[in-house]
Amino acid sequence: AGFDLTKIFIGAEGTLGIVTEATLRLAPLVPTTVAVAQFPDVRKAASAVQEVLTSTAGDSIQCVELVDDHFMRATNLFGQSHRKYLEKDSLFFKIQGSPSTQKENAKIIQGIVKKHGGLTFELARSKEDAEELWHDRKVALWSGMALVPGSKAWSTDVCVPVSRLPDLVYETKKDLAEHSIVSTIVGHVGDGNFHALLVFKDDDEIPKMHDAVKRMVDRAIAMEGTCTGEHGVGLGKKEYLYRELGAGTVNLMKQIKRTVDPLGIMNPGKLYPDSPEDGFQVHGPGHAKH
């Protein structure tokens, strides 16, 4: 009976309280393997994924990652991989099931990849081979920074409906190229979450990076997406919440915050955008202004 108050904490980013205890449901560890496919462009890669997920092999896909050609070039430059990849937009598949099921579904996936113009398809030959392939995906931050020696990186994310992910990737890559920003892109194709790593050397470039992130967020919201899928709102993206959620929702969030944390001591300054209309700003413990 009553509200499901637990879910109010989801997305609150620690501004309503602290989780002191959690009950977890354990799932069995299912055997997996990894395959990598490469395509002439991101649209062909995305269309292949959509067919794979609705095929008889779809249930075997534990996750599928879309990475761009700059990511593959960075992986080659980084030098940790045992492979030299074709520097094209690519998909990393993690396929689960028994060894025989993995092979059967990999054949189905390979056929779909070929149908959609795939240039290459490589299935791991062993458990160790699969771990090496997935490792190349997991070191995205460090490989991306290899594109500019001695660089810094700004990592950001947005999320859109899966059907709009190819448009988002294409338009973002075009925008970053037009502004001469070195970057790599990773997308979780199954849920439309999209990560960009913006690489730069000097702090005077930070405003340029901020502007690029703002354009990315504007693009995602225009595609009925959200300003963040995983990284969170925090300080950096709270300015976008009025546009994404509307004043009514944001003001309700603020009212809940005032009620649950009247002193403003829980992760102060995060999540809730300042509003000249209502003047509610959380500056720190004991300084909630109304």
Side-chain angles (χ1 to χ4, degrees):
F3 292 170
D4 186 350
L5 295 176
T6 302
K7 290 190 176 179
I8 292 180
F9 280 72
I10 297 174
E13 301 186 7
T15 63
L16 298 181
I18 299 170
V19 176
T20 59
E21 182 178 332
T23 301
L24 306 179
R25 177 184 295 171
L26 299 180
L29 188 61
V30 182
T32 61
T33 189
V34 175
V36 180
Q38 300 186 286
F39 296 82
D41 60 65
V42 68
R43 295 184 189 279
K44 287 185 171 60
S47 64
V49 170
Q50 289 172 352
E51 183 169 344
V52 166
L53 293 178
T54 56
S55 72
T56 55
D59 289 342
S60 73
I61 302 299
Q62 192 175 92
C63 50
V64 54
E65 305 281 82
L66 170 68
V67 298
D68 74 343
D69 53 339
H70 299 312
F71 176 97
M72 301 312 294
R73 182 164 68 90
T75 301
N76 287 339
L77 282 174
F78 189 43
Q80 279 202 6
S81 178
H82 295 164
R83 294 167 171 78
K84 284 296 179 184
Y85 291 100
L86 193 64
E87 294 174 3
K88 295 289 186 179
D89 297 322
S90 304
L91 295 171
F92 281 71
F93 294 94
K94 185 171 278 191
I95 307 167
Q96 66 183 21
S98 66
S100 60
T101 301
Q102 291 173 10
K103 289 180 180 179
E104 179 182 340
N105 286 318
K107 287 181 180 179
I108 296 171
I109 296 167
Q110 184 175 14
I112 295 172
V113 165
K114 184 177 180 180
K115 174 183 172 182
H116 289 269
L119 303 171
T120 67
F121 182 88
E122 179 182 1
L123 179 67
R125 297 179 295 275
S126 65
K127 180 180 178 181
E128 293 72 25
D129 200 27
E131 289 173 353
E132 288 177 6
L133 282 169
W134 201 250
H135 178 265
D136 293 341
R137 156 63 187 94
K138 295 297 287 183
V139 294
L141 172 63
W142 310 114
S143 61
M145 293 177 69
L147 290 171
V148 181
S151 63
K152 304 174 183 180
W154 185 319
S155 177
T156 190
D157 84 319
V158 293
C159 191
V160 295
V162 175
S163 62
R164 299 306 305 274
L165 186 62
D167 298 325
L168 179 66
V169 173
Y170 176 81
E171 292 181 21
T172 299
K173 284 171 64 68
K174 180 181 177 183
D175 177 74
L176 295 174
E178 288 174 350
H179 289 84
S180 302
I181 296 175
V182 177
S183 68
T184 62
I185 284 173
V186 177
H188 306 320
V189 190
D191 58 14
N193 193 213
F194 163 96
H195 300 254
L197 186 73
L198 312 182
V199 183
F200 61 100
K201 292 196 72 169
D202 302 314
D203 286 350
D204 59 8
E205 295 179 87
I206 290 177
K208 182 179 179 181
M209 302 301 120
H210 179 271
D211 290 344
V213 172
K214 183 179 185 302
R215 292 191 299 274
M216 197 180 306
V217 171
D218 289 342
R219 203 172 292 121
I221 293 175
M223 294 180 183
E224 300 183 342
T226 178
C227 66
T228 181
E230 290 180 350
H231 291 200
V233 175
L235 290 171
K237 290 187 174 178
K238 65 181 186 177
E239 64 184 281
Y240 306 116
L241 290 193
Y242 272 106
R243 180 178 171 196
E244 179 179 331
L245 302 177
T249 298
V250 173
N251 290 335
L252 176 59
M253 289 167 53
K254 289 181 177 182
Q255 289 173 19
I256 294 171
K257 169 69 170 176
R258 292 186 186 107
T259 302
V260 177
D261 181 23
L263 297 180
I265 62 175
M266 296 294 181
N267 206 9
K270 309 299 196 311
L271 184 62
Y272 308 92
D274 298 337
S275 168
E277 289 79 14
D278 67 10
F280 177 70
Q281 300 174 332
V282 179
H283 293 281
H287 296 284
K289 293 188 178 182
H290 303 270

